[in-house]
Amino acid sequence: MKRTLLFITIIVALLSLVACGGGKTASQTGPKKIFQPDWFSIQDNADYLYAYGKAEKVSENASNDAAVANAYLEAAQYVKAHVKGMLKNYLEEAGNENPEVTSLTSKVVKVVSDAKFQNTSVTKRETFQMANNRYKTFVRISIPKSEINKNLLNQVKHEEALYNQFKASQSFKELENEVEK
């Protein structure tokens, strides 16, 4: 009797374990690829900085507006990185040993990246209605690098000490070139 009861208990326990095992869960099947349009996050034109945004909202208009706002937020980060790269070469030429030049350059970078973007446009947009009746929008905005460079030049000109050092450096190079001829 005890053996039969023990045998039945073991069989019930094994059946319970098998029944509770279930199928594979989503985490066991591996990562799921998140959809993005094929043009999303590609920088393929040297004349423009592209910034991308996406958003998922209950209404199509809200989804679009949020995606565009996210793209402009990303644009501010791209512009800041672009301007810092441009000014790095100048700092090496002007002499980054001078703390005044370094602080003025940091100010210029901040002002340019915080500036309002001009001549920008949404050049790509895709909106999808999801299964849960929400809308997901992907956008790309294009910012001409010439506008960024123009803003940078205007800001540097406003910082007279920095601009004068730059002009003096250019004049000195021209003088050296004339002497070498």
Side-chain angles (χ1 to χ4, degrees):
M1 178 82 167
K2 286 184 180 182
R3 283 188 179 178
T4 308
L5 188 56
L6 180 62
F7 181 70
I8 291 174
T9 305
I10 291 173
I11 295 295
V12 170
L14 288 174
L15 288 175
S16 296
L17 287 175
V18 170
C20 292
K24 290 184 176 180
T25 62
S27 63
Q28 292 172 332
T29 59
K32 181 179 177 183
K33 184 175 178 3
I34 304 296
F35 171 78
Q36 292 184 23
D38 58 352
W39 50 264
F40 200 76
S41 297
I42 295 176
Q43 297 286 334
D44 60 357
N45 188 333
D47 295 332
Y48 289 90
L49 280 176
Y50 295 129
Y52 298 87
K54 63 182 174 180
E56 184 176 329
K57 299 290 181 187
V58 175
S59 78
E60 185 177 355
N61 286 339
S63 174
N64 181 57
D65 292 346
V68 170
N70 288 338
Y72 276 110
L73 178 62
E74 183 177 304
Q77 295 168 346
Y78 273 137
V79 168
K80 188 173 183 178
H82 174 72
V83 170
K84 278 186 178 180
M86 289 174 56
L87 288 176
K88 182 180 177 194
N89 290 337
Y90 170 69
L91 274 177
E92 290 171 356
E93 180 182 322
N96 59 1
E97 299 298 319
N98 184 347
E100 183 178 311
V101 173
T102 304
S103 68
L104 289 174
T105 303
S106 296
K107 181 179 177 184
V108 169
V109 170
K110 183 173 181 175
V111 170
V112 171
S113 66
D114 289 344
K116 292 182 180 180
F117 299 115
Q118 296 176 353
N119 298 328
T120 63
S121 59
V122 175
T123 52
K124 291 200 185 253
R125 177 189 337 251
E126 286 188 47
T127 301
F128 301 92
Q129 187 171 12
M130 309 302 286
N132 57 3
N133 287 330
R134 294 173 64 89
Y135 294 89
K136 189 167 199 169
T137 302
F138 297 86
V139 298
R140 176 181 83 179
I141 60 172
S142 301
I143 307 163
K145 284 185 180 177
S146 61
E147 289 298 318
I148 297 169
N149 296 344
K150 193 185 312 180
N151 283 348
L152 173 62
L153 183 62
N154 287 338
Q155 289 302 321
V156 169
K157 283 182 179 178
H158 282 75
E159 301 295 341
E160 192 172 336
L162 189 61
Y163 183 66
N164 287 340
Q165 277 187 330
F166 177 72
K167 283 304 212 182
S169 173
Q170 282 184 327
S171 297
F172 184 72
K173 277 187 177 181
E174 289 174 12
L175 178 63
E176 280 184 331
N177 290 340
E178 287 296 319
V179 170
E180 289 177 4
K181 286 184 181 180

